[in-house]
Amino acid sequence: MIKVINVVGARPNFMKIAPIQREMSKYSNIKPVLVHTGQHYDKRMSKFFFNDLQLPEPDIYLGVGSGTHAEQTAKIMTHFEKILNEEKPDLVLVVGDVNSTAACSLVAAKMNTKIAHVEAGLRSFDRTMPEEINRLVTDVLSDLLFVTEKSGLENLKREGIADHKVHFVGHVMIDSLIYFKPKADQSAILGELNLTPGEYGVITLHRPSNVDNKQNFEKLLNAFAQIEQRLPLIFPIHPRSQKMIDQFGLREKVEKMSNLRLLDPLGYLDFMKLLHNAKLVLTDSGGIQEETTFLGIPCITMRENTERPITVEIGTNVLVGTDTQRIVLEAEKILDGNAKKGQIPELWDGHAAERIVKIISESL
């Protein structure tokens, strides 16, 4: 029997672990143990996502909560070391690039436990991003590296990671999107918000470089103020962004935009329904760049770089930085019927988890 600890820490991890956990349950020789570090400490939202994604209750909940990067990483490591001592797994599987990903990998490596990293090899080449550090650390420690796009293969080869460790498998987040699409289609969110498909835009915004910097945040709000004159904008707002609007004295600017609607964060199924029917998406998220490319929705990414270049090269994503006029110009192109056309990347077919679990079953 192969015992695998599957680690989740923050909301983006849940949709990546869900198909893997589901696939592992089909194998008689694999025993999955779901560990939730509690890095994302909004219990209401965690519950939403667990329910929406049909994830079982975590076998182990560490409840580390918030803190600085060092505090949070240290707490996760201290708690996770005890779990490894008790559980003695054959493999620790981590996903994405959050603090839980790097922290649990460090502990596993020091305790001579094999590590699998799902979504390996992605690089923004911007080490001011905490996620980039987490990606680099996790990949160098991992024994099995599961790659979502061709750039990941090139990056890992350049960094000297042995070829036999690296597997191009596609994207588990797309597995979730495909698997849950029929349920997301049944969401009543458009009716509740009185929205017509294709006649609104969606905003997501949470990166510290955008919302913790008053000048950048203001530039983005100025862009939204111009776009909302032509298209209603729906903004399920991250608690961090909400807090900084008040801290920077930008509440009045936001409230003047009659066509901008702030919502509480949404569950996975409601958000997917909203995303799938949007005219365009304005984001600084990583995963949403990929989901919009798969769905064929025009995406304007308000960042200077992306670790998911396939979404720009062949997808529907355009990278615009934080320049107000550039954001508005790209939005106007879409509204005028000149949106970028994209295609679905190789192996984004809903079967990534099957490939991953087969490799794990045969490797250990």
Side-chain angles (χ1 to χ4, degrees), residues 191-253:
E192 288 166 15
L193 298 174
N194 199 23
L195 294 171
T196 304
E199 294 186 11
Y200 62 88
V202 172
I203 297 169
T204 78
L205 197 60
H206 72 283
R207 289 200 178 272
S209 58
N210 280 339
V211 300
D212 290 3
N213 178 313
K214 185 180 181 185
Q215 188 181 2
N216 282 351
F217 205 168
E218 214 158 359
K219 284 195 286 188
L220 299 180
L221 290 175
N222 288 340
F224 303 159
Q226 292 184 59
I227 297 164
E228 62 101 34
Q229 290 174 34
R230 288 190 63 183
L231 185 76
L233 296 176
I234 310 302
F235 188 179
I237 190 162
H238 193 280
R240 179 189 206 107
S241 307
Q242 189 80 272
K243 182 181 84 174
M244 299 316 289
I245 283 172
D246 289 323
Q247 205 162 302
F248 291 145
L250 298 171
R251 181 64 57 187
E252 192 181 342
K253 181 187 275 283

Side-chain angles (χ1 to χ4, degrees), residues 23 27 30 353-363:
E23 187 63 23
Y27 279 67
I30 296 179
E354 292 165 37
R355 297 182 192 104
I356 288 166
V357 179
K358 186 170 187 283
I359 291 164
I360 288 169
S361 175
E362 292 170 355
S363 299

Side-chain angles (χ1 to χ4, degrees), residues 79-265:
H79 285 66
F80 193 64
E81 184 179 47
K82 292 172 188 161
I83 300 306
L84 284 198
N85 272 322
E86 289 164 14
E87 295 289 333
K88 297 186 169 43
D90 301 289
L91 180 74
V92 170
L93 183 144
V94 294
V95 295
D97 53 21
V98 298
N99 288 340
S100 298
T101 309
C104 293
S105 299
L106 275 165
V107 174
K110 292 195 175 197
M111 294 177 72
N112 296 314
T113 304
K114 287 189 183 299
I115 302 157
H117 184 205
V118 174
E119 215 181 48
L122 298 178
R123 298 289 181 267
S124 66
F125 305 102
D126 177 3
R127 293 199 182 188
T128 66
M129 291 175 70
E131 297 92 340
E132 185 77 351
I133 306 303
N134 291 339
R135 289 189 280 262
L136 287 160
V137 167
T138 303
D139 283 344
V140 83
L141 298 174
S142 293
D143 302 277
L144 290 169
L145 297 97
F146 296 113
V147 175
T148 61
E149 62 165 89
K150 289 289 178 65
S151 74
L153 298 175
E154 294 156 12
N155 294 333
L156 294 171
K157 186 177 272 295
R158 190 173 52 251
E159 289 165 19
I161 305 293
D163 286 348
H164 73 270
K165 294 182 175 183
V166 179
H167 303 271
F168 179 38
V169 293
H171 204 336
V172 286
M173 197 168 66
I174 303 303
D175 289 13
S176 277
L177 196 153
I178 293 169
Y179 184 83
F180 288 108
K181 187 178 179 298
K183 279 191 79 178
D185 286 345
Q186 292 167 23
S187 160
I189 190 75
L190 297 191
E192 288 166 15
L193 298 174
N194 199 23
L195 294 171
T196 304
E199 294 186 11
Y200 62 88
V202 172
I203 297 169
T204 78
L205 197 60
H206 72 283
R207 289 200 178 272
S209 58
N210 280 339
V211 300
D212 290 3
N213 178 313
K214 185 180 181 185
Q215 188 181 2
N216 282 351
F217 205 168
E218 214 158 359
K219 284 195 286 188
L220 299 180
L221 290 175
N222 288 340
F224 303 159
Q226 292 184 59
I227 297 164
E228 62 101 34
Q229 290 174 34
R230 288 190 63 183
L231 185 76
L233 296 176
I234 310 302
F235 188 179
I237 190 162
H238 193 280
R240 179 189 206 107
S241 307
Q242 189 80 272
K243 182 181 84 174
M244 299 316 289
I245 283 172
D246 289 323
Q247 205 162 302
F248 291 145
L250 298 171
R251 181 64 57 187
E252 192 181 342
K253 181 187 275 283
V254 170
E255 287 176 351
K256 274 184 181 163
M257 298 183 222
S258 57
N259 239 356
L260 174 73
R261 293 166 67 180
L262 303 191
L263 306 180
D264 287 335

Side-chain angles (χ1 to χ4, degrees), residues 200-203 220 222-233 279-283 298-302 316 318-320 323-340:
Y200 62 88
V202 172
I203 297 169
L220 299 180
N222 288 340
F224 303 159
Q226 292 184 59
I227 297 164
E228 62 101 34
Q229 290 174 34
R230 288 190 63 183
L231 185 76
L233 296 176
K279 179 78 172 174
L280 59 82
V281 176
L282 296 141
T283 191
C299 181
I300 297 170
T301 297
M302 302 171 292
T316 55
V318 182
L319 207 58
V320 294
D323 179 74
T324 301
Q325 286 316 309
R326 195 152 171 231
I327 297 166
V328 172
L329 188 68
E330 286 301 332
E332 284 177 342
K333 272 191 207 169
I334 296 162
L335 295 175
D336 292 339
N338 300 313
K340 183 183 179 190

Side-chain angles (χ1 to χ4, degrees), residues 27-83:
Y27 279 67
S28 58
N29 68 326
I30 296 179
K31 184 188 178 190
V33 178
L34 186 60
V35 174
H36 186 352
T37 66
Q39 175 187 327
H40 197 285
Y41 46 94
D42 182 336
K43 283 186 181 159
R44 175 176 157 269
M45 284 311 297
S46 286
K47 190 166 180 292
F48 266 177
F49 269 66
F50 267 78
N51 290 346
D52 281 358
L53 295 162
Q54 298 168 9
L55 272 166
E57 281 296 308
D59 297 293
I60 300 163
Y61 182 71
L62 304 184
V64 298
S66 60
T68 66
H69 283 283
E71 286 167 346
Q72 197 174 63
T73 303
K75 273 192 222 169
I76 295 165
M77 289 178 73
T78 307
H79 285 66
F80 193 64
E81 184 179 47
K82 292 172 188 161
I83 300 306

